[in-house]
Amino acid sequence: MLNKVILIGRLGRDPETRYMPNGEAVCNFSVATSEAWNDRNGQRQEKTEWHNITMYRRLAEIAGQYLKKGSQVYLEGKIQSRKYQGKDGIERTAYDIIANEMKMLGGGNSEQQAQGETPTPPRRQAPAAPVGGNDESDDIPF
């Protein structure tokens, strides 16, 4: 049997990290995943799913330190259900993703990403031979 989940999404809120009595870290946050398609009428449709994520130990500490709302992440883990009683007194079931692997992905407000997308200016042509002598300098115009 297999219980495995793979998600790529963006955080909907900043991670909340706390520590259990035994000193182990626990981190919780939500991740949104979306899918888009064209319906029968050719209209663009989009559906967003929200996933509750829980991480433990060192991975929880890393997530709490480096992730923030809007961060894009790759997650692997398993689905775990839990029962709770709603405000209306009805018992409900929530499904959480217990992540055991995370990769921080580019995007968002990363300065490196922004620099990587900046188009490079076209190269200038080398100037004609210098006027007034044979001054060979190291000034290369590109």
Side-chain angles (χ1 to χ4, degrees), residues 93-105:
T93 303
Y95 296 93
D96 298 318
I97 307 301
I98 309 302
N100 55 25
E101 186 174 331
M102 171 188 67
K103 292 182 178 128
M104 293 174 272
L105 303 177

Side-chain angles (χ1 to χ4, degrees), residues 94-133:
Y95 296 93
D96 298 318
I97 307 301
I98 309 302
N100 55 25
E101 186 174 331
M102 171 188 67
K103 292 182 178 128
M104 293 174 272
L105 303 177
N109 297 332
S110 168
E111 188 174 329
Q112 282 184 330
Q113 179 90 10
Q115 288 176 353
E117 293 175 359
T118 304
T120 55
R123 272 191 184 179
R124 293 182 286 162
Q125 289 184 342
V131 177

Side-chain angles (χ1 to χ4, degrees), residues 10-138:
R10 291 196 183 274
L11 273 70
R13 61 182 166 92
D14 288 341
E16 297 173 12
T17 305
R18 63 188 192 288
Y19 291 87
M20 296 187 287
N22 66 2
E24 288 185 352
V26 180
C27 185
N28 297 97
F29 54 91
S30 60
V31 168
T33 58
S34 296
E35 63 177 308
W37 69 95
N38 290 331
D39 66 14
R40 292 180 185 176
N41 300 324
Q43 297 293 318
R44 190 82 173 150
Q45 301 292 324
E46 186 172 341
K47 182 177 181 183
T48 300
E49 293 285 342
W50 287 95
H51 312 275
N52 294 319
I53 310 297
T54 302
M55 295 179 170
Y56 294 98
R57 294 175 277 292
R58 182 68 184 134
L59 191 59
E61 293 172 346
I62 293 167
Q65 184 176 0
Y66 293 105
L67 297 180
K68 63 180 190 272
K69 180 180 179 177
S71 296
Q72 188 177 29
V73 292
Y74 167 95
L75 300 166
E76 284 187 29
K78 64 181 181 176
I79 297 175
Q80 181 174 295
S81 63
R82 62 181 162 84
K83 303 258 186 226
Y84 69 98
Q85 193 168 33
K87 292 179 183 176
D88 55 7
I90 297 174
E91 185 176 278
R92 300 193 189 316
T93 303
Y95 296 93
D96 298 318
I97 307 301
I98 309 302
N100 55 25
E101 186 174 331
M102 171 188 67
K103 292 182 178 128
M104 293 174 272
L105 303 177
N109 297 332
S110 168
E111 188 174 329
Q112 282 184 330
Q113 179 90 10
Q115 288 176 353
E117 293 175 359
T118 304
T120 55
R123 272 191 184 179
R124 293 182 286 162
Q125 289 184 342
V131 177
N134 288 348
D135 186 13
E136 299 253 346
S137 69
D138 288 335

Side-chain angles (χ1 to χ4, degrees), residues 2-17:
L2 179 65
N3 179 356
K4 184 168 185 153
V5 175
I6 297 174
L7 298 172
I8 296 176
R10 291 196 183 274
L11 273 70
R13 61 182 166 92
D14 288 341
E16 297 173 12
T17 305

